[in-house]
Amino acid sequence: GARQVAGAITASTLTTVCVFLPIVFVQGLTRQIFSDLALTITYSLMASLIVALTLVPAMGKSLFKRVKPRSHKFMDGMLKYYEKAVRFTLAHRAISLIAAFVLLAGSTALAMSRGFSFMPSASSSEIQVSISMPKGSKMADTVKASEKLLKVINESDKYETVGAMVGSTMSIMGVGGSTDTQNATLYMVLKDEFAKQSNEISTELQKQADEMFKDGTEVSVSGGSMSSMSALTGSGVGVKIYCDDLDKLQKAANDITKIISDVDGIEKADNGISDTTSELRITVDKEKAMKNSLTVAQVFQQVASLIKSENTATSLTTDNGSAIDVVVVDQQKEEFTPEKLMDQKLTYTTTEGDEKTIALGEISTIKKADSMSSISRENQKRYLTVTGDIKDGYTTTDVSSRVQSAVEKYQHGSEITIDFSGENETTMESVFELFKMLVLGIVFIYLIMVAQFQSLKSPFIVMFTIPLAFDISVVSLIGFVMLCGVVVNNGIVLVDYINQLRIEGMEKKEALVQAGKIRMRPILMTAITTIIGLFSMALGIGEGAEMMQPVAIVCIGGLLYATIMTLFIVPVMYDLFNRKPMRAVSEEDLKEIDD
């Protein structure tokens, strides 16, 4: 028994292992996430092959001393129906192949039309609420708003733990965090029985907060679904706008934010400008200044002294060694407006040595403007990133495509450059890497089966069982890569046995039917045991289980598809491609060829 299937199961194991071998050629985030998975499966399969060829026969020697043939009514009945069905498919090959092709094409078109996402959202028991008060709010106002929202939260019995941090936010690994007293953060942990409802609870809490605060207070509820990958991939869609002119940069960012907000699938858009501060912008006319014996630096010095309202008198040192400046503020100085600044007199000395004055407005233009709190640069270019969150039920690539089409219609000057970023960029890069891994894996599978069958046609027949019914995330593509190595196993076992029967002298069609009947039980056992093993993962039971759920769903669906293909379509393909009679080649035949 071991000798009969040794070649087939060795080839089957190697085909599954080799789909993970190309991961050494894959780069980026995909390799970091899935390399451990590939190594674990490879080691497990190699160990199982050794056990199957050594330990199982050894144990069988003792356990199978008294094996009596038994009839099984259900299985016997199934085999009779299978024989009729496979003979029908062999007699109507065109109908069978058309049906298989329609199923294949339909499932592929349906999956591709939905686009891709990087990671599926997964439920989490943690919810976070960020409160941002209007400018000028005091610490007491922030505390009052937090307590108001906490009162609503504490009335619910869905939360196990509730906490609040007012005036500062936590930093992660030393990155981030602030001490702004106008901000507060609330943290909630749901009870276990409500963890699966976290998305609905977050949405409901956001509605309550929006109705509660109408005074400019911004409340953002996040959580409900795990966002651990967002830090790696960039959440949602992103549009980078490059321009050295800050005014044009801000205008373009606001315009594109409005465009993105109207795209179907976008929940909320942000212009990336963050808080702005009002400023008075003075532009000195160099020629006019030079005519009055003034330089831009001299104008700056005199303007600075005019508007300066505070001076550092001294510094105090605390017990822990930190220094605190003591500032004297001149509260008599009035707030400057563009009109008042224009009338301010600047002094200068002429070439003759006379001291004269001139109004600032005569040698410069003054206007009010908004200034960004921070400026980001990439490759020495100033830029802003406009982002958009994707609504539930929409895929990243689908929404990103609509956003790109809408933004490309935006009319902007030649000094502005627009680039697209966000999760879609990482997703498509990972999809490309996985497809590269998939193609290399299929090539290796084919070469292994060529060595097993000593034929170029038989491997092609077996590979016809590989389905293209994958889902719409990178995680599910990993399931499809695994599937390519798994689904060919039963095909290898079936084709190998068909060849054995034909070599023994059985007629081709009869060998196809008999091989299917004899191998049907192990084929079904292999598929069913694998499906049962994946069933709990496919149900997504437990917090965060949705992250790996697509792998199980793809594998289960693909195994069901491949089992039908193996039992019915593989015989049809074999019948089409192998028309010549088959016989074993002996050593004497080879010697005759050499002679």
Side-chain angles (χ1 to χ4, degrees):
R3 183 168 60 249
Q4 187 186 79
V5 298
I9 65 173
T10 300
S12 299
T13 303
L14 291 177
T15 55
T16 308
V17 169
C18 74
V19 296
F20 292 105
L21 180 62
I23 202 166
V24 300
F25 304 109
V26 174
Q27 301 296 325
L29 191 59
T30 305
R31 181 174 182 174
Q32 297 175 30
I33 295 174
F34 298 113
S35 58
D36 290 341
L37 174 67
L39 290 173
T40 302
I41 293 176
T42 299
Y43 295 147
S44 301
L45 286 171
M46 296 307 295
S48 69
L49 176 62
I50 296 171
V51 170
L53 294 176
T54 57
L55 182 62
V56 171
M59 293 179 67
K61 183 178 180 181
S62 301
L63 298 176
F64 298 155
K65 286 183 178 179
R66 298 179 180 178
V67 179
K68 296 181 180 180
R70 295 187 303 171
S71 62
H72 194 291
K73 292 183 178 179
F74 177 76
M75 196 66 195
D76 293 342
M78 185 182 293
L79 289 174
K80 288 180 180 178
Y81 283 113
Y82 170 71
E83 181 176 352
K84 292 179 180 178
V86 76
R87 288 188 186 279
F88 176 84
T89 56
L90 289 170
H92 302 82
R93 295 180 304 191
I95 296 175
S96 303
L97 292 177
I98 290 172
F101 177 78
V102 169
L103 179 63
L104 186 66
S107 59
T108 303
L110 182 62
M112 296 297 288
S113 65
R114 298 183 63 184
F116 296 95
S117 61
F118 191 85
M119 288 283 179
S121 59
S123 60
S124 171
S125 59
E126 297 179 5
I127 296 177
Q128 179 177 313
V129 181
S130 299
I131 302 174
S132 180
M133 302 296 293
K135 288 184 179 180
S137 300
K138 298 180 180 179
M139 180 75 166
D141 300 325
T142 308
V143 172
K144 186 177 179 181
S146 302
E147 290 177 343
K148 186 178 179 181
L149 190 56
L150 280 171
K151 184 178 179 182
V152 175
I153 293 170
N154 287 323
E155 289 175 355
S156 174
D157 60 348
K158 299 176 181 177
Y159 304 100
E160 183 177 347
T161 306
V162 179
M165 185 177 292
V166 179
S168 64
T169 58
M170 292 191 301
S171 63
I172 300 174
M173 298 178 66
V175 180
S178 66
T179 56
D180 188 355
T181 57
Q182 296 175 1
N183 293 325
T185 307
L186 312 183
Y187 304 91
M188 292 85 71
V189 178
L190 293 167
K191 294 179 180 178
D192 291 341
E193 59 266 30
F194 296 107
K196 284 290 185 180
Q197 305 172 24
S198 53
N199 284 325
E200 293 79 3
I201 294 172
S202 299
T203 303
E204 181 61 29
L205 185 59
Q206 182 70 64
K207 290 180 181 178
Q208 290 178 315
D210 292 341
E211 294 174 359
M212 191 180 302
F213 298 101
K214 302 288 187 181
D215 57 352
T217 300
E218 295 182 3
V219 179
S220 176
V221 181
S222 60
S225 59
M226 289 186 178
S227 56
S228 58
M229 295 308 301
S230 297
L232 298 174
T233 64
S235 179
V237 297
V239 180
K240 281 187 176 180
I241 308 163
Y242 298 88
C243 184
D244 289 328
D245 189 316
L246 291 178
D247 291 335
K248 293 180 179 179
L249 183 62
Q250 291 183 72
K251 182 181 182 301
N254 290 323
D255 292 342
I256 291 176
T257 302
K258 293 178 182 178
I259 293 171
I260 291 178
S261 300
D262 295 332
V263 174
D264 183 31
I266 293 294
E267 187 172 21
K268 183 176 62 176
D270 182 78
N271 58 16
I273 297 174
S274 188
D275 295 330
T276 58
T277 55
S278 181
E279 67 178 13
L280 291 175
R281 192 170 296 171
I282 303 171
T283 306
V284 178
D285 188 320
K286 293 181 181 179
E287 292 185 1
K288 291 182 179 179
M290 289 175 63
K291 288 179 181 178
N292 292 278
S293 302
L294 283 169
T295 64
V296 175
Q298 290 173 330
V299 174
F300 166 76
Q301 290 176 349
Q302 294 193 48
V303 172
S305 63
L306 285 172
I307 64 176
K308 192 173 183 181
S309 61
E310 58 183 45
N311 292 282
T312 302
T314 186
S315 295
L316 300 178
T317 304
T318 61
D319 294 337
N320 60 9
S322 61
I324 300 176
D325 292 334
V326 177
V327 178
V328 178
V329 179
D330 183 3
Q331 295 184 349
Q332 300 300 319
K333 284 200 173 185
E334 58 184 339
E335 182 181 352
F336 285 101
T337 63
E339 292 76 19
K340 291 178 180 178
L341 267 179
M342 289 178 71
D343 295 333
Q344 294 296 318
K345 300 297 183 181
L346 303 179
T347 60
Y348 66 95
T349 303
T350 64
T351 54
E352 291 80 13
D354 299 329
E355 190 172 283
K356 293 186 178 182
T357 61
I358 188 172
L360 179 61
E362 293 183 30
I363 59 171
S364 64
T365 56
I366 305 170
K367 65 178 181 178
K368 271 191 173 183
D370 289 329
S371 175
M372 294 188 293
S373 58
S374 62
I375 300 173
S376 300
R377 285 183 173 85
E378 187 176 272
N379 297 327
Q380 303 301 317
K381 293 182 179 180
R382 293 171 175 173
Y383 76 93
L384 282 172
T385 303
V386 178
T387 57
D389 297 333
I390 297 176
K391 293 180 181 178
D392 291 339
Y394 290 82
T395 59
T396 304
T397 52
D398 190 27
V399 176
S400 296
S401 177
R402 286 198 288 267
V403 167
Q404 187 167 347
S405 299
V407 172
E408 285 175 351
K409 297 176 183 177
Y410 174 64
Q411 301 293 327
H412 57 81
S414 57
E415 65 273 19
I416 293 176
T417 305
I418 294 176
D419 191 17
F420 294 90
S421 61
E423 185 180 344
N424 184 58
E425 186 178 13
T426 305
T427 300
M428 296 313 297
E429 179 185 348
S430 299
V431 168
F432 173 76
E433 292 293 331
L434 283 172
F435 271 120
K436 183 169 71 175
M437 178 179 171
L438 180 63
V439 171
L440 287 173
I442 291 176
V443 171
F444 290 150
I445 290 172
Y446 182 79
L447 294 176
I448 289 170
M449 288 192 292
V450 167
Q452 164 66 17
F453 294 124
Q454 298 293 308
S455 168
L456 296 175
K457 292 186 291 185
S458 293
F460 179 77
I461 296 167
V462 174
M463 293 181 70
F464 200 76
T465 61
I466 297 177
L468 295 177
F470 50 85
D471 200 54
I472 53 174
S473 70
V474 171
V475 175
S476 58
L477 275 177
I478 285 292
F480 182 62
V481 171
M482 292 171 58
L483 197 61
C484 289
V486 172
V487 297
V488 297
N489 295 349
N490 287 330
I492 291 172
V493 172
L494 179 62
V495 172
D496 183 68
Y497 193 57
I498 293 171
N499 290 339
Q500 290 183 35
L501 292 178
R502 293 188 66 198
I503 289 172
E504 292 172 2
M506 189 176 290
E507 189 269 332
K508 184 177 66 173
K509 288 196 176 180
E510 195 62 30
L512 292 171
V513 175
Q514 293 304 318
K517 289 175 64 177
I518 294 171
R519 291 294 189 227
M520 184 178 183
R521 188 190 297 265
I523 287 172
L524 292 178
M525 288 172 62
T526 303
I528 292 171
T529 52
T530 308
I531 289 170
I532 291 173
L534 294 167
F535 194 69
S536 59
M537 187 190 294
L539 292 176
I541 298 172
E543 183 181 330
E546 296 93 338
M547 293 288 286
M548 297 304 291
Q549 189 178 20
V551 174
I553 293 174
V554 169
C555 286
I556 289 175
L559 281 169
L560 291 172
Y561 173 95
T563 301
I564 297 172
M565 296 287 287
T566 300
L567 293 173
F568 294 99
I569 304 301
V570 167
V572 172
M573 295 295 294
Y574 190 101
D575 189 29
L576 282 172
F577 281 90
N578 292 275
R579 298 183 179 182
K580 295 181 179 180
M582 182 178 291
R583 70 183 183 90
V585 179
S586 63
E587 292 185 7
E588 288 75 13
D589 295 331
L590 293 175
K591 288 180 180 179
E592 290 179 6
I593 294 174
D594 291 337
D595 294 338

